[in-house]
Amino acid sequence: MFQVPWSEYSDALWEGLLKTLSYTAAGFIGATLVGLAVALLRVSSSRLLRTPAVLYTEVFKNVPLLAVIFLTYFGLGSIGLKLDAFQAGTLSLIVFYAAYLSEIFRSAIKGVHSGQQEAAEALGMKRISTFAKVVFPQAMRLALPGTNTMLVDLLKSTSLLVTISAAELMSQGRLITSATFRALEVYAVIAVIYFVLCYPLSQGLLWLERQIQVGTPLSVRRRRRLRAAKALLAQEVTA
């Protein structure tokens, strides 16, 4: 053990780490946007809109991510649609995790009590305004635990992109192993790096989830207003 000259491969590991974070950020942002759009189609009253959304969700929920990666990188390339490793890897993560996030968002939207919408409509609010200002903020709180889990899982799943030589951490680990023939040491170090990435992220998201559950606003501006209101209330009580 510990016979790999890590100083010689530090640049490669750093490059792999940045690539992993890039795949994670791009994949999660894209999957969140697509998943939210699919969820809105799922809760639509129109069957014409719901049907393709249901088909999309069911297909990608029941297909392995590795198969999606191969279809995106090799399959599309065979019909003339060439994507580089970053484009294919990011697209694979987006379409795969959007299916799961759409289910999380759909459940969260459905989880908001119908009385909330009825009360907003009774106050004269339009349908779009009711969803944006009443239903959606509450749904996002309900969706936060599942979304956090998907983010950590997506980060770990970037390791599957080693199959298309995506230059992320696992790909760099494979190259280092080929050069040093020290598979146990190299992959143990790669596993530790993933743990160092995922554990603080999961704990930080868990802390955020607890903060949101006790009523802390997401917006920095609203948090400032809340602190100012509490301070003013304390001054009045003291007086």
Side-chain angles (χ1 to χ4, degrees):
M1 290 290 289
F2 308 113
Q3 296 182 14
V4 176
W6 289 108
S7 59
E8 298 180 9
Y9 301 107
S10 58
D11 291 341
L13 288 176
W14 178 248
E15 180 183 351
L17 174 61
L18 294 180
K19 277 286 187 179
T20 294
L21 296 177
S22 298
Y23 281 114
T24 302
F28 183 72
I29 292 172
T32 300
L33 296 176
V34 175
L36 181 58
V38 174
L40 293 177
L41 294 177
R42 290 288 304 273
V43 299
S44 173
S45 58
S46 172
R47 186 175 182 180
L48 187 62
L49 297 177
R50 290 199 311 271
T51 301
V54 171
L55 289 175
Y56 171 85
T57 303
E58 293 303 322
V59 167
F60 286 102
K61 278 173 55 182
N62 295 282
V63 174
L65 176 56
L66 190 58
V68 177
I69 294 172
F70 283 174
L71 284 171
T72 305
Y73 189 69
F74 299 110
L76 294 181
S78 66
I79 60 174
L81 186 56
K82 298 286 186 178
L83 298 177
D84 60 32
F86 184 80
Q87 293 171 334
T90 302
L91 180 60
S92 301
L93 293 171
I94 289 174
V95 298
F96 183 80
Y97 279 94
Y100 289 92
L101 287 174
S102 68
E103 285 290 89
I104 293 172
F105 295 150
R106 182 185 64 85
S107 300
I109 293 171
K110 289 290 189 180
V112 177
H113 196 279
S114 59
Q116 300 283 329
Q117 185 172 351
E118 294 172 359
E121 292 175 354
L123 293 174
M125 296 179 66
K126 296 182 179 180
R127 188 173 181 179
I128 296 178
S129 181
T130 297
F131 179 81
K133 297 181 179 180
V134 178
V135 177
F136 185 73
Q138 297 182 68
M140 289 302 97
R141 288 177 182 269
L142 296 175
L144 193 60
T147 304
N148 293 344
T149 301
M150 285 296 104
L151 174 56
V152 177
D153 190 68
L154 190 152
L155 173 56
K156 293 185 294 183
S157 294
T158 58
S159 60
L160 292 176
L161 299 178
V162 66
T163 54
I164 58 173
S165 301
E168 34 63 62
L169 270 175
M170 192 61 71
S171 297
Q172 298 294 354
R174 185 173 66 175
L175 293 176
I176 296 172
T177 301
S178 299
T180 61
F181 300 101
R182 304 289 299 179
L184 178 60
E185 179 180 347
V186 172
Y187 288 125
V189 169
I190 296 297
V192 169
I193 293 175
Y194 273 108
F195 179 83
V196 171
L197 287 175
C198 293
Y199 183 75
L201 177 62
S202 62
Q203 294 302 306
L205 292 174
L206 182 60
W207 174 84
L208 176 62
E209 179 185 331
R210 290 170 178 168
Q211 292 294 106
I212 299 304
Q213 286 180 350
V214 298
T216 303
L218 285 172
S219 169
V220 175
R221 185 177 180 183
R222 291 186 64 188
R223 287 201 295 270
R224 290 175 180 172
R225 288 180 178 178
L226 182 61
R227 286 197 297 266
K230 288 181 178 179
L232 182 60
L233 181 61
Q235 290 177 2
E236 292 181 353
V237 171
T238 304

